[in-house]
Amino acid sequence: MMDNVSIIGVFTLSGLNEAMNHRVALFSLTLLCYCVILLVNISLIMTIILDKNLHEPMYILLCSFCMNGLYGTIGFYPKFLFDLLSPSHVISYAGCLVQALVMYSFACSDLSILAVMAYDRYLAICRPLEYHAIMTKQRLSQLVCFSWIIPFCIIGINILLTSRLKLCSSNIQRLFCVNWVIVKLACSSADTTINSIIAYITILAYVFQGFFIFWSYMYLIKTCVSSIENRGKFMQTCVPHLACLLTFLVSIVFDVMYMRFGSKDVPQTLQNFIAIEFLVIPPIMNPLIYGFKLSKIRFRILGFVYAKSK
């Protein structure tokens, strides 16, 4: 039985080794960044929850999007902030697997929610008469639950397969735990075949989601070109969604491509930036983009700020 389990009890995260001379500045910047993420996401979530006029599918999906952003960043920032103040950067074996599960179930859920948002916009603009009959509260609840549960289960399977590997190294050259990096620490590459197969199936499944979103927007653009009213709807509700999608895809694709095919000669600082980009830019930009672009949310927030200032 011992051949089928890891004998590693603790991992060392070596991604910070070159930056410890600037730990105070990094800690301050990271703490500020995390506070901004918490502020903008919680503000948007509370605005949508407290205002009954915003209890519509588009805004409920946006609320779940921001909640997912908070879930993902909780998996990184507290541990990273602790590491910046600690002389040793270690994480337990179980903690590492949990962190990897949180980080990538968050990323996959983000794409799933974006796919549901694209479907919602397709129904609202291309099939407006059927919109409320199709996008019922029950259907919306199912879509939101599936966009969280299915990614969690898929990534969970990947993590479960990783947990059976016998590892021959405990050094992870990153700021946080990543499933594929743990797999590469396996003593025998033959043992990781099933991990690679499931990993590529997972990537392929989410590539198909990306194609679905692309198809939805091509159809939306085609529909909106001939109608001034639809063009207005597209600019108001779809442009923020597209901006969030592009921000997310650029961030996550850079990380995945580098992790799979990147050179080890790349400076550690650049590696770190590529690794955490999807944990910094989308969680901050998404609420801001929607908050400024969607007039209902913008007016609610400005009204709240104005009332408080009196």
Side-chain angles (χ1 to χ4, degrees):
M1 288 292 292
M2 288 301 293
D3 289 338
N4 294 325
V5 296
S6 172
I7 59 172
I8 301 293
V10 174
F11 288 105
T12 301
L13 302 172
S14 60
L16 262 178
N17 290 352
E18 295 182 10
M20 291 312 289
N21 291 333
H22 310 286
R23 70 165 74 191
V24 174
L26 278 172
F27 179 85
S28 303
L29 188 61
T30 303
L31 182 60
L32 176 63
C33 181
Y34 190 40
C35 288
V36 171
I37 288 171
L38 292 174
L39 176 65
V40 295
N41 282 278
I42 291 173
S43 296
L44 205 59
I45 290 167
M46 294 308 297
T47 300
I48 293 169
I49 289 174
L50 295 175
D51 193 331
K52 291 184 179 180
N53 293 322
L54 298 178
H55 292 182
E56 301 172 12
M58 180 176 69
Y59 299 106
I60 292 170
L61 288 170
L62 175 56
C63 185
S64 69
F65 195 46
C66 292
M67 286 179 177
N68 189 58
L70 292 177
Y71 160 72
T73 52
I74 281 173
F76 170 70
Y77 283 94
K79 175 69 172 75
F80 182 59
L81 287 167
F82 177 80
D83 284 344
L84 285 169
L85 298 178
S86 174
S88 60
H89 312 132
V90 296
I91 186 169
S92 68
Y93 177 78
C96 192
L97 293 181
V98 169
Q99 187 178 52
L101 173 64
V102 170
M103 306 289 271
Y104 281 91
S105 61
F106 145 70
C108 292
S109 290
D110 249 15
L111 191 58
S112 294
I113 294 169
L114 285 167
V116 175
M117 292 170 87
Y119 176 63
D120 174 72
R121 291 301 84 206
Y122 160 74
L123 290 176
I125 293 175
C126 300
R127 300 169 65 181
L129 298 179
E130 303 169 64
Y131 178 73
H132 291 291
I134 296 174
M135 194 59 78
T136 60
K137 289 183 179 179
Q138 183 180 4
R139 176 69 57 81
L140 180 63
S141 300
Q142 290 171 346
L143 290 171
V144 170
C145 288
F146 285 142
S147 67
W148 281 339
I149 293 170
I150 291 177
F152 187 86
C153 292
I154 290 173
I155 300 301
I157 292 169
N158 282 269
I159 299 296
L160 190 63
L161 289 171
T162 300
S163 68
R164 70 185 175 83
L165 299 174
K166 182 179 179 181
L167 307 180
C168 286
S169 174
S170 62
N171 184 46
I172 296 177
Q173 293 183 322
R174 289 176 74 95
L175 300 175
F176 57 88
C177 293
V178 179
N179 184 53
W180 186 247
V181 175
I182 302 170
V183 170
K184 291 197 289 187
L185 300 177
C187 299
S188 172
S189 58
D191 294 337
T192 67
T193 303
I194 185 67
N195 295 75
S196 298
I197 292 170
I198 297 299
Y200 281 116
I201 290 173
T202 301
I203 291 171
L204 192 61
Y206 285 95
V207 167
F208 277 124
Q209 279 198 10
F211 279 124
F212 168 76
I213 297 171
F214 178 77
W215 174 84
S216 298
Y217 275 96
M218 289 300 98
Y219 195 87
L220 277 167
I221 291 169
K222 182 180 176 181
T223 303
C224 293
V225 165
S226 58
S227 168
I228 295 175
E229 182 183 353
N230 284 341
R231 265 182 282 176
K233 287 183 181 179
F234 183 87
M235 293 301 295
Q236 178 68 21
T237 62
C238 297
V239 169
H241 182 251
L242 275 174
C244 293
L245 176 64
L246 290 173
T247 302
F248 170 78
L249 287 179
V250 169
S251 301
I252 203 69
V253 167
F254 266 112
D255 186 38
V256 172
M257 294 299 289
Y258 177 78
M259 192 164 42
R260 298 277 169 162
F261 310 110
S263 169
K264 292 183 179 180
D265 297 329
V266 175
Q268 186 66 51
T269 304
L270 181 57
Q271 290 183 43
N272 291 342
F273 175 76
I274 293 171
I276 67 170
E277 194 180 358
F278 78 105
L279 292 160
V280 177
I281 299 174
I284 292 176
M285 293 304 298
N286 293 345
L288 291 177
I289 290 169
Y290 274 101
F292 282 112
K293 186 63 180 172
L294 297 181
S295 56
K296 279 189 177 182
I297 292 178
R298 185 172 68 250
F299 293 151
R300 296 299 184 279
I301 293 174
L302 291 174
F304 177 77
V305 171
Y306 179 74
K308 283 289 183 181
S309 65
K310 281 190 173 182

